[in-house]
Amino acid sequence: MRNAAFLDRTSLPRPDIDENAAAAILKAHYGLEGRIDELGSQQDRNFRIDTGDGCYVLKICRQEYSGPELEVQNGAMRHVGTKAGGPRVPQPVAALSGGDIVAISHCGQNLSVRLLDFLDGQPLTRQKYLSPATIAALGNLAGRLAMSLEDFDHPGLERDLQWDLRKASAVIAHQLEAISDPAVRALIDQTSSEALAALAPLESGLRLQPVHHDITDDNVVSRRNEDGVLIPDGVIDFGDITRGWLVAELASTCAALLHHCGGDAFRILPAVAAFHAACPLVEAEMDALWPLIVIRAAVLIASNEQQLSVEPDNHYVIGNAEHERVIFQVARSVPPALMRTAIRQALGHPLPTDWRKDGSLLIPALDPALVRIVPLDLLSEEFEAGNWLVDGIAESVLDAASLETGYAATRYGEYRFDRTLHHAPEAPETFALHVDLVLPVGTIIAAPFAGRLEWRGKSTFLAGDEMCLHLTGIDIQSISPGTVKAGDRIGVAQRLRVQLCRDPDINPPAFVRPDCADAWGYLCPSPQPLLGLDCEASPPDSAGLLARRLKVFARPQKNYYENPPQIERGLGAHLYDVTGRSFLDMVNNVTIIGHGHPRLASAVHRQWSLLNTNSRFHYKAVTEFSERLAELAPEGLDTVFLVNSGSEANDLALRLAWASSSARNMICLLEAYHGWSVASDAVSTSIADNPQALTTRPDWVHAVISPNTYRGPFRGTATTADYVATVLPVLQELDAKGERLAGFIAESVYGNAGGISLPQGYLREVYKLVRTRGGVCIADEVQVGYGRLGHHFWGFDEQGVVPDIITIAKGMGNGHPLGAVITTRAVAEAFEKEGYFFSSAGGSPVSCVVGNTVLDIMRDEKLQENARIVGDHLKARLQALGQRFDLVGAVHGMGLYLGLEFVTDRRTLTPATHETARICDRLMELGVIMQPTGDHLNVLKIKPPMCLTVESADYFADMLARVLDEGW
């Protein structure tokens, strides 16, 4: 059927068949019975059949769709099924009559019936978010299918089909007649006409072959890979197969992705690159891809509107209507030249960059030596103490820079830090496509090349043969629109914005997102040649820097994230990467008072300019800081050692226990982490930090069951006696051997497992048992202490106990290497029998000033109180998520040391390890830094700077809710 009659079929309703009728057809012609559920379809009726022994899909269509059109679908599935490397596809099931297609009549309808085996897997339909890996896998799937169909042939391929994009012009014209809204009709007509015009000169270079035409979220099934990511690997429903343009296969897939992209058309690029890797495109196909995507979007929305006019109760069409409107909106929201460029770049086939320059300058009298080029990037010295967040800061800085000579300029291609945004789920538009200049009053501006001069709003526009110039700020001086020559005077300016663009139909933005920078940078190249200034910023090479790091930095020192952002600045609870993206830091308990605190920076600068040496010298700061630490500790703990880290503090604490007890045996808890030194690692039993932790403990280490009241052997708060009882066998065994006990080390709150509070009274009872045997009790407060809990300054305060030794680090130095051990005079002096203790940098003047200043800021800014108020608010928000999402198992902790534990089953507490990893990766995309913890890596350890605001806490909770709502 190779004529326009196929257009009449586009308005056919689905067959009038319900589930009861489908069951009768199934039993009569296939001898099968089972549960029947209808699946969606635009013009067919599809039913899933579960017989108990197998699953099938019963497909029923009108006989207006001829036998060859159905036979070609079955043939294609059989053909693909034989191809190595091809996707999974269903296979036809023969009827009792032996045929693949059964012709029936039902209630006056002539119908064709087929049965296929059911392809298992998770559909992508209605998924609110698709990861880049899933998007790439969908493109790869489409490419592999295209390669599998390359040598397929069948008479049924020679048919006319509304989804064949070669027929789009006629299809859209026909469908528009059914659309009653004139505004919608005009918009579809205009959009499709422009795309068809762009496509026309490329059509001769587009290859023809069998094309599925519908590798979309509705027609693929996925399985999760080893990381738990959905990977599409199966294709269903070959109803739209025909001979068509090969690149139309990819266009259909990309169009479907546009409603998963959050309005960002660039998110289809992983699919484009993956398709090309599996099935290489030729240049004409690369350039035709975006027009075809737009055309496909127009066909989709026009078809949808038409089908609803025929069958307004078609729930499948109704369900897709909003998605297809989104697809159309996104497709027409992006300049075609931009997407053509981005696609070329993604495929490694960039467009030529040269353009003719005749040597004329925009500002003829400009002396480059007089112009101060002002950096406004992340590392600019113009930015300090958060002034980059002040409106108009860039203009103020530029004005100040021009005071000396009258000239100042910004840089093209710079990621402008004054454009950063806090609490933004998408990267802000920071990449500058222009240069701003401040000039002396009356500076003459001339045409740098010949062209036609006109005004567009407040801008002056010069269209040349190869390039267009956009100027803002010119005071026009009796210059009329029209043709000008290079060097002709245009006007005068004092503040001038200069921007180039290759496409005369684009009014380019001044700033764009970092992921769009390469494509926009091609369309809007640097105006440096027109200015004669060295005003181009060098792009950051984050990938190259990471490669250099991996080459020389020891591999066990891991990064957060596989592809980490390059973080070079911070302020409060926010971190910034080199593109100006802001990230909310919800994991960094090292910076207790926040990043980039100006008061701390000033104090360090002052002390370093005075003196920095070791603690054997006599100076004021070490005395003052040690006194303050002793005052913070309970009475009797009055002696301080200063070191550089928590590992060193715990290592020293163990040595103090050995020296004071004259014994060696130490009790510790399972799942604990205490550091990386030989001794502190020995009592660290977390298999997340060391997979060999449980098999490599020295014989002096005795690990007991962790009092994990959520997933331990005894659950709930009334488990103190049960967990204390698990310590007794270890003590009794030591007693029986006549071996003495040196001590017991534990975090006062179970930090590494996500801030789980110990059962009330646990430490009191264990401390008694330890002290009875001459051991000392070490409270590891490195993570949980120092005010972070909000309700208590020390974690052991919650248990109502006083340890013999306190170890602290991390937050007390706000990122500066600083740790301490606080103990009694007797314990400290017992160490002298092993010799004296010395740490070269521990207790240095700078370190002590850091410690004192941190305590001052904590006091003056009421950070412990803030941790309590904001932490309680955040915990309530997280607990509310547990009412909405089954993945949330529990919320642990208090203050700003919280743990959010994810499980796939709340009854069995099966850890949601893969899901937690994906949640962290997705949160990073949304501007939140978070990492998993615990032996099962299924807990979010929430320990942000203690200056976290309620607004930031709400942003974190909102983004977490968004991620959980996106579907798992």
Side-chain angles (χ1 to χ4, degrees):
M1 184 175 60
R2 305 286 294 176
N3 55 62
F6 83 97
L7 295 173
D8 295 332
R9 300 189 312 185
T10 65
S11 57
L12 288 174
R14 294 173 297 168
D16 185 12
I17 295 282
D18 61 17
E19 291 179 356
N20 291 330
I25 293 169
L26 180 72
K27 184 174 182 180
H29 295 283
Y30 295 93
L32 296 174
E33 295 182 89
R35 175 177 172 174
I36 295 184
D37 295 294
E38 184 167 6
L39 305 172
S41 179
Q42 185 155 358
Q43 287 191 302
D44 299 339
R45 291 283 186 179
N46 297 323
F47 300 89
R48 178 183 174 181
I49 317 297
D50 187 348
T51 67
D53 295 323
C55 291
Y56 305 90
V57 175
L58 184 69
K59 300 179 70 66
I60 305 173
C61 69
R62 294 181 175 276
Q63 284 189 6
E64 283 85 349
Y65 294 91
S66 64
E69 291 180 279
L70 302 181
E71 292 164 3
V72 70
Q73 297 178 45
N74 290 350
M77 287 183 279
R78 289 197 175 97
H79 180 84
V80 173
T82 67
K83 292 291 184 176
R88 294 188 298 139
V89 296
Q91 295 298 310
V93 177
L96 295 175
S97 63
D100 290 342
I101 304 169
V102 178
I104 66 169
S105 178
H106 177 79
C107 296
Q109 305 169 95
N110 295 322
L111 307 174
S112 295
V113 178
R114 291 181 296 145
L115 188 69
L116 308 177
D117 58 19
F118 181 80
L119 209 61
D120 68 314
Q122 183 172 339
L124 297 180
T125 306
R126 306 293 185 261
Q127 287 283 322
K128 296 181 180 180
Y129 168 78
L130 298 181
S131 71
T134 301
I135 291 170
L138 188 61
N140 171 267
L141 179 69
R144 288 190 290 123
L145 181 62
M147 294 298 292
S148 298
L149 289 171
E150 183 180 26
D151 59 347
F152 174 63
D153 196 19
H154 191 282
L157 290 170
E158 309 306 325
R159 61 172 178 151
D160 292 314
L161 185 74
Q162 74 179 93
W163 304 112
D164 182 352
L165 295 183
R166 294 177 299 167
K167 308 292 190 299
S169 179
V171 169
I172 292 172
H174 176 77
Q175 291 169 330
L176 287 177
E177 296 175 3
I179 300 175
S180 58
D181 189 325
V184 173
R185 189 167 59 245
L187 192 61
I188 296 172
D189 185 32
Q190 177 189 354
T191 302
S192 59
S193 296
E194 291 172 354
L196 287 163
L199 179 68
L202 301 168
E203 289 185 13
S204 61
L206 305 185
R207 293 172 291 173
L208 289 169
Q209 73 159 60
V211 179
H212 180 281
H213 268 126
D214 206 11
I215 308 300
T216 64
D217 44 2
D218 283 337
N219 287 328
V220 300
V221 291
S222 308
R223 294 188 285 200
R224 295 196 183 274
N225 65 10
E226 61 275 10
D227 295 322
V229 178
L230 277 178
I231 301 297
D233 68 340
V235 179
I236 59 175
D237 194 347
F238 278 65
D240 295 337
I241 190 169
T242 187
R243 195 177 306 281
W245 287 320
L246 167 63
V247 69
E249 191 78 277
L250 178 57
S252 300
T253 300
C254 289
L257 286 171
L258 291 181
H259 83 83
H260 291 285
C261 70
D264 178 9
F266 273 59
R267 292 204 59 207
I268 70 170
L269 295 178
V272 176
F275 183 98
H276 180 67
C279 179
L281 300 172
V282 300
E283 288 205 20
E285 291 166 336
M286 297 177 193
D287 292 340
L289 178 57
W290 185 252
L292 285 169
I293 291 171
V294 176
I295 292 166
R296 168 78 173 188
V299 171
L300 283 171
I301 193 170
S303 174
N304 189 284
E305 296 286 345
Q306 181 201 47
Q307 194 67 28
L308 285 175
S309 70
V310 174
E311 196 178 5
D313 61 346
N314 186 328
H315 295 292
Y316 175 79
V317 177
I318 294 170
N320 282 338
E322 181 57 33
H323 291 162
E324 288 167 359
R325 292 187 186 104
V326 170
I327 289 170
F328 184 68
Q329 289 166 2
V330 176
R332 62 182 306 274
S333 70
V334 192
L338 178 66
M339 291 309 299
R340 174 174 174 248
T341 301
I343 289 166
R344 284 284 202 127
Q345 290 172 338
L347 301 184
H349 287 261
L351 294 158
T353 57
D354 291 340
W355 61 283
R356 182 177 57 80
K357 311 174 184 69
D358 59 15
S360 297
L361 293 177
L362 181 67
I363 309 172
L366 184 66
D367 181 354
L370 297 178
V371 183
R372 181 181 169 194
I373 306 299
V374 183
L376 294 171
D377 63 344
L378 179 82
L379 298 178
S380 172
E381 294 183 1
E382 305 292 343
F383 295 134
E384 58 182 13
N387 67 341
W388 56 85
L389 300 171
V390 176
D391 288 342
I393 182 64
E395 291 77 9
S396 298
V397 168
L398 201 59
D399 285 340
S402 70
L403 292 178
E404 184 177 349
T405 66
Y407 294 90
T410 62
R411 298 190 296 178
Y412 167 89
E414 181 175 63
Y415 292 104
R416 287 269 294 271
F417 193 38
D418 60 303
R419 302 276 303 175
T420 194
L421 294 172
H422 288 176
H423 307 141
E426 289 82 34
E429 296 170 338
T430 57
F431 186 82
L433 292 172
H434 65 280
V435 171
D436 283 329
L437 299 105
V438 175
L439 307 166
V441 175
T443 299
I444 294 174
I445 309 301
F449 50 77
R452 178 170 181 79
L453 188 69
E454 59 184 72
W455 288 272
R456 293 186 175 181
K458 297 181 179 180
S459 297
T460 304
F461 176 71
L462 177 62
D465 293 336
E466 300 177 73
M467 192 66 66
C468 300
L469 176 63
H470 297 256
L471 301 171
T472 304
I474 287 190
D475 180 11
I476 303 301
Q477 294 188 338
S478 303
I479 303 295
S480 300
T483 301
V484 297
K485 302 188 297 297
D488 282 356
R489 177 169 168 165
I490 296 176
V492 298
Q494 182 181 13
R495 302 189 71 92
L496 182 66
R497 174 165 291 181
V498 184
Q499 187 167 18
L500 291 172
C501 187
R502 298 177 188 273
D503 191 322
D505 295 325
I506 293 177
N507 185 23
F511 299 92
V512 295
R513 296 193 323 266
D515 63 307
C516 305
D518 287 344
W520 273 114
Y522 169 78
L523 289 177
C524 300
S526 169
Q528 177 169 298
L530 310 184
L531 297 170
L533 293 174
D534 183 10
C535 57
E536 289 184 12
S538 299
D541 183 13
S542 296
L545 182 67
L546 181 61
R548 287 164 51 198
R549 171 183 170 134
L550 295 175
K551 186 175 180 180
V552 298
F553 200 56
R555 191 172 297 275
Q557 301 173 95
K558 301 295 186 184
N559 277 111
Y560 288 150
Y561 307 109
E562 183 177 351
N563 296 302
Q566 183 184 340
I567 303 294
E568 298 287 358
R569 197 161 193 160
L571 179 72
H574 299 274
L575 295 168
Y576 308 96
D577 76 2
V578 290
T579 70
R581 179 79 195 270
S582 170
F583 296 90
L584 179 61
D585 181 4
M586 294 298 295
V587 76
N588 208 327
N589 59 340
V590 173
T591 46
I592 198 166
I593 63 171
H595 300 282
H597 201 294
R599 185 172 168 185
L600 180 59
S602 177
V604 170
H605 176 269
R606 168 68 176 163
Q607 182 58 49
W608 215 299
S609 69
L610 292 174
L611 173 72
N612 198 31
T613 183
N614 66 70
S615 60
R616 290 183 180 180
F617 289 94
H618 180 44
Y619 47 86
K620 183 178 180 181
V622 71
T623 302
E624 291 183 335
F625 184 46
S626 298
E627 287 175 340
R628 291 185 73 174
L629 289 177
E631 289 169 0
L632 290 168
E635 186 176 353
L637 299 180
D638 54 9
T639 307
V640 174
F641 292 87
L642 292 176
V643 291
N644 301 298
S645 69
S647 294
E648 292 176 66
N650 282 325
D651 190 282
L652 176 57
L654 292 170
R655 293 181 65 190
L656 288 169
W658 294 337
S660 65
S661 67
S662 298
R664 190 78 170 176
N665 292 299
M666 291 294 305
I667 295 176
C668 62
L669 300 180
L670 291 171
E671 291 187 65
Y673 176 76
H674 297 289
W676 55 262
S677 69
V678 172
S680 61
D681 176 70
V683 292
S684 296
T685 55
S686 167
I687 59 174
D689 295 288
N690 175 7
Q692 308 303 317
L694 301 183
T695 59
T696 58
R697 299 305 91 202
D699 57 9
W700 55 268
V701 174
H702 308 277
V704 299
I705 291 173
S706 59
N708 187 328
T709 57
Y710 177 67
R711 65 166 55 253
F714 313 108
R715 298 177 182 176
T717 56
T719 54
T720 302
D722 297 312
Y723 281 113
V724 170
T726 65
V727 182
L728 289 174
V730 174
L731 297 175
Q732 291 165 354
E733 182 179 356
L734 291 174
D735 292 343
K737 291 179 179 179
E739 296 185 15
R740 298 182 60 202
L741 180 65
F744 168 68
I745 184 170
E747 288 185 284
S748 307
V749 174
Y750 214 29
N752 214 52
I756 301 176
S757 292
L758 307 179
Q760 193 60 41
Y762 175 81
L763 285 186
R764 182 179 62 252
E765 297 304 317
V766 174
Y767 278 14
K768 286 180 184 178
L769 293 171
V770 171
R771 285 169 173 158
T772 298
R773 288 164 174 80
V776 298
C777 300
I778 303 169
D780 180 348
E781 298 276 340
V782 170
Q783 293 195 74
V784 302
Y786 229 63
R788 174 165 289 281
L789 298 178
H791 296 265
H792 308 285
F793 189 84
W794 300 110
F796 56 75
D797 288 338
E798 184 188 15
Q799 288 275 310
V801 297
V802 176
D804 302 300
I805 301 173
I806 304 171
T807 60
I808 46 178
K810 290 194 184 295
M812 65 186 298
N814 205 58
H816 181 86
L818 181 57
V821 174
I822 310 175
T823 187
T824 65
R825 176 66 57 182
V827 169
E829 291 182 351
F831 192 73
E832 286 200 82
K833 63 189 176 186
E834 296 189 2
Y836 64 86
F837 175 80
F838 173 67
S839 174
S840 294
S844 71
V846 167
S847 293
C848 291
V849 165
V850 167
N852 272 319
T853 306
V854 167
L855 287 173
D856 289 342
I857 293 169
M858 289 178 63
R859 176 198 63 214
D860 297 344
E861 298 183 6
K862 300 180 180 179
L863 293 187
Q864 182 179 342
E865 180 182 355
N866 187 70
R868 175 178 56 80
I869 295 170
V870 178
D872 288 354
H873 173 79
L874 177 56
K875 187 171 184 177
R877 289 291 314 270
L878 298 178
Q879 288 171 330
L881 294 180
Q883 304 300 313
R884 293 177 54 194
F885 303 106
D886 291 339
L887 198 67
V888 176
V891 182
H892 310 302
M894 69 177 71
L896 287 178
Y897 201 105
L898 301 173
L900 182 61
E901 185 153 359
F902 294 116
V903 296
T904 57
D905 187 315
R906 289 184 176 180
R907 181 181 59 83
T908 63
L909 303 187
T910 304
T913 301
H914 290 309
E915 292 83 352
T916 305
R918 296 202 308 276
I919 288 169
C920 291
D921 287 342
R922 178 66 175 130
L923 283 172
M924 197 266 279
E925 292 180 2
L926 296 172
V928 177
I929 301 294
M930 177 48 62
Q931 288 290 293
T933 190
D935 273 7
H936 306 289
L937 295 177
N938 69 314
V939 184
L940 301 186
K941 188 158 60 172
I942 302 163
K943 45 188 179 64
M946 285 167 55
C947 58
L948 188 80
T949 64
V950 169
E951 180 187 13
S952 290
D954 281 337
Y955 181 75
F956 169 64
D958 291 343
M959 291 304 99
L960 187 56
R962 172 172 168 173
V963 173
L964 293 171
D965 192 47
E966 287 172 345
W968 299 94

